Every structure is written in C-alpha cells, then in structure tokens.
Amino acid sequence: MTKLLIGLGLASTLLLGANHIVDQKDKTFIPHTLNVKVGDTITFKNSDPFAHNAYTDDEANEFDIGMQKPGVDKTITVKVAGKFNVECAIHPNMLLEVTAK
Ligand SMILES: [Cu+2]
C-alpha cells in the first residue's frame, strides 16, 4: 500500500509539474530569476503590506494576476518554452526573468 501511494505521488508530480514560489517583498520579486519547465506552476506571494501585481507581455505565456492584496497567493501555469519578463503593474521597477524549457 505504501509503495502504491508513493507511486501515485510520483505520477501526479510528473503530470502536474513542479511548483515555484516567488515572493514579493520590499517591492522586489524574490527570486528575480527563475528556471522552470513547461507545465510547472509559479505561485506569487505578497509579503508586503500593500498590493502588488504580476503580469507578462509575452504572447505565448501571457497572464495577468490582477490586483494582489497582501497575504494572497496567486498561481499561474507556464505553457510554452522561452524566456519572458514578469513585471508588476503597480511598481514598474519590479522585474522577474523567467526561462522556461
Ligand atoms: Cu508591486
């Protein structure tokens, strides 16, 4: 039974891809560079006491998590291989560089 459960766990991990955590703290994406695989998810956290946002203009992986209040998590899925920048619409100096393979 234990072996079966471990097997199921591995299978679901392979199917769903890995999850990467990106925090937003002091108006900075942490980390600010990220290597992912297609099918992986990125969860954006907000550890600042004010709202953030995360979006990309990249056409292949386009997303916009909208207004993200403090303490709220938002998760996106990486769909296509390539490099793209993620920015915060509220704080133009925030930058996250994602490389997806
Ligand atoms: Cu921000």
Side-chain angles (χ1 to χ4, degrees):
M1 188 62 186
T2 306
K3 271 186 184 168
L4 176 64
L5 288 175
I6 290 170
L8 288 172
L10 279 174
S12 63
T13 301
L14 290 172
L15 284 173
L16 295 173
N19 176 246
H20 306 266
I21 305 285
V22 174
D23 200 0
Q24 298 179 91
K25 193 169 168 51
D26 299 327
K27 295 185 184 176
T28 306
F29 287 113
I30 303 169
H32 59 89
T33 59
L34 198 61
N35 291 307
V36 303
K37 288 180 178 162
V38 172
D40 285 0
T41 51
I42 303 173
T43 297
F44 292 95
K45 294 186 166 290
N46 181 0
S47 294
D48 273 328
F50 42 80
H52 279 298
N53 162 256
Y55 76 98
T56 182
D57 284 334
D58 182 77
E59 286 183 14
N61 281 297
E62 186 179 25
F63 68 85
D64 186 336
I65 65 169
M67 177 79 80
Q68 183 186 18
K69 291 183 177 169
V72 173
D73 292 356
K74 300 222 178 181
T75 300
I76 63 102
T77 302
V78 178
K79 301 181 195 98
V80 180
K83 276 188 150 189
F84 58 94
N85 290 340
V86 177
E87 297 171 74
C88 169
I90 303 164
H91 309 105
N93 289 335
M94 293 176 63
L95 178 65
L96 165 66
E97 295 174 309
V98 180
T99 303
K101 289 182 178 171

